[in-house]
């Protein structure tokens, strides 16, 4: 059974710092991995999708990597800003029905 | 930019009542999903729907739950007899295909009293 874990659960950094969020999954047989952002009480905003055949994806200040064999993904945020404060979720797709398995998220606070 | 829309944003209902949560997926998407998030917990998969039938459902999705695509644009989740433990944020999502990016709506907060 696929399980997804995110470490740390919470992170507080000063503005401008580069940071890394971690996601691990127990079954390496995945189709893809998706990173989301969730603001308090709001929906999920898709940030990046990495297919199982890819090693990384970049969007602006965000870079996500995938190491399927070790069951890990990282989300790198460059030059963090207060507006980046949110909860970041990773989710893996392990079945051909589209079912995503989510981690519990990392809550990021970027202090001005 | 196309988006998944959900209504209502917040619904309060009495235990035992039926509720219908509504979603309009992105127009060219073919796969539709419902997820829920109990306060402080992980986002959990409920059901996936393709070609007018359920393709997978979780253990949570018991006989009290049903989904329907009544027309070409709406996708609904019905809970027949709500329980206190059904209180959660319910998210609808859609994707073009399996393995493509999934887009989520803003959610419906369901409160059962």
């Amino acid at each position: 059974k696929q399980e997804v874990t995110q470490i740390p659960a919470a992170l507080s950094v000063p503005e401008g710092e580069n940071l890394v969020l971690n996601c691990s999954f127990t079954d390496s047989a995945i189709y893809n991995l998706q990173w989301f952002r969730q603001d308090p009480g709001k929906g999920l905003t898709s940030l990046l999708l990495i297919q199982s055949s890819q090693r990384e994806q970049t969007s602006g200040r965000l870079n996500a990597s995938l190491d399927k064999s070790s069951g890990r993904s990282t989300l790198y945020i460059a030059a963090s800003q207060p507006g980046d404060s949110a909860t970041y979720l990773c989710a893996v797709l392990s079945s051909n029905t589209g079912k995503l398995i989510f981690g519990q998220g990392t809550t990021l606070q970027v202090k001005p | 930019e196309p988006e998944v829309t959900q209504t209502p944003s917040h619904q309060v209902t009495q235990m035992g009542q039926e509720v219908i949560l509504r979603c309009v997926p992105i127009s060219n998407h073919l796969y539709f999903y419902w997820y829920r998030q109990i306060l402080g917990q992980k986002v959990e998969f409920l059901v996936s729907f393709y070609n007018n039938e359920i393709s997978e459902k979780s253990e949570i999705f018991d006989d009290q739950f049903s989904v329907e695509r009544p027309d070409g644009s709406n996708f609904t989740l019905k809970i027949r007899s709500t329980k206190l433990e059904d209180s959660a944020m319910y998210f609808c999502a859609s994707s073009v295909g399996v393995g493509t990016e999934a887009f989520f709506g803003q959610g419906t907060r369901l409160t059962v009293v």
Side-chain angles (χ1 to χ4, degrees):
Chain A
K1 181 186 171 189
Q2 180 72 270
E3 291 185 6
V4 181
T5 304
Q6 292 185 246
I7 294 172
L11 184 61
S12 180
V13 300
E15 183 177 3
E17 199 161 289
N18 302 325
L19 58 102
V20 174
L21 307 181
N22 297 292
C23 172
S24 61
F25 46 95
T26 54
D27 185 350
S28 61
I30 66 169
Y31 289 85
N32 64 40
L33 184 146
Q34 198 166 349
W35 281 93
F36 294 89
R37 170 185 171 136
Q38 184 177 30
D39 292 287
K42 303 291 186 184
L44 309 179
T45 301
S46 178
L47 297 173
L48 288 164
L49 171 73
I50 313 179
Q51 297 293 350
S52 62
S53 58
Q54 297 175 314
R55 296 285 293 183
E56 64 179 270
Q57 278 285 356
T58 298
S59 175
R61 294 183 293 108
L62 305 179
N63 175 278
S65 68
L66 176 64
D67 183 344
K68 239 179 42 162
S69 60
S70 67
R72 288 192 288 189
S73 176
T74 61
L75 179 66
Y76 174 83
I77 302 176
S80 58
Q81 303 169 358
D84 294 330
S85 298
T87 296
Y88 291 81
L89 303 172
C90 75
V92 300
L93 178 66
S94 297
S95 80
N96 63 1
T97 61
K99 170 185 174 182
L100 289 171
I101 306 292
F102 281 83
Q104 71 271 39
T106 293
T107 299
L108 172 65
Q109 182 184 34
V110 181
K111 296 179 179 176
Chain B
E1 184 174 322
E3 59 181 15
V4 177
T5 57
Q6 291 185 241
T7 55
S9 56
H10 191 190
Q11 177 142 9
V12 181
T13 189
Q14 291 210 326
M15 191 169 52
Q17 294 296 304
E18 175 183 288
V19 294
I20 298 176
L21 310 183
R22 302 180 191 279
C23 169
V24 179
I26 295 173
S27 62
N28 65 330
H29 286 189
L30 301 176
Y31 289 78
F32 314 114
Y33 316 92
W34 284 100
Y35 291 80
R36 79 173 186 188
Q37 186 178 34
I38 295 171
L39 191 63
Q41 298 187 23
K42 290 185 178 185
V43 176
E44 302 174 284
F45 169 81
L46 292 178
V47 65
S48 58
F49 191 86
Y50 168 71
N51 200 24
N52 280 322
E53 59 184 33
I54 290 173
S55 42
E56 185 173 357
K57 60 183 180 180
S58 72
E59 292 171 356
I60 303 166
F61 195 90
D62 61 20
D63 292 344
Q64 294 301 309
F65 290 85
S66 62
V67 289
E68 193 178 30
R69 188 150 162 85
D71 52 43
S73 59
N74 290 284
F75 180 52
T76 62
L77 174 70
K78 183 195 287 188
I79 309 175
R80 253 179 279 283
S81 178
T82 49
K83 307 186 195 75
L84 294 176
E85 54 264 38
D86 294 328
S87 295
M89 183 77 99
Y90 287 80
F91 294 110
C92 173
S94 68
S95 62
V96 170
V98 173
T100 63
E101 193 173 8
F103 292 87
F104 281 68
Q106 289 300 299
T108 292
R109 179 165 299 283
L110 176 66
T111 303
V112 183
V113 298

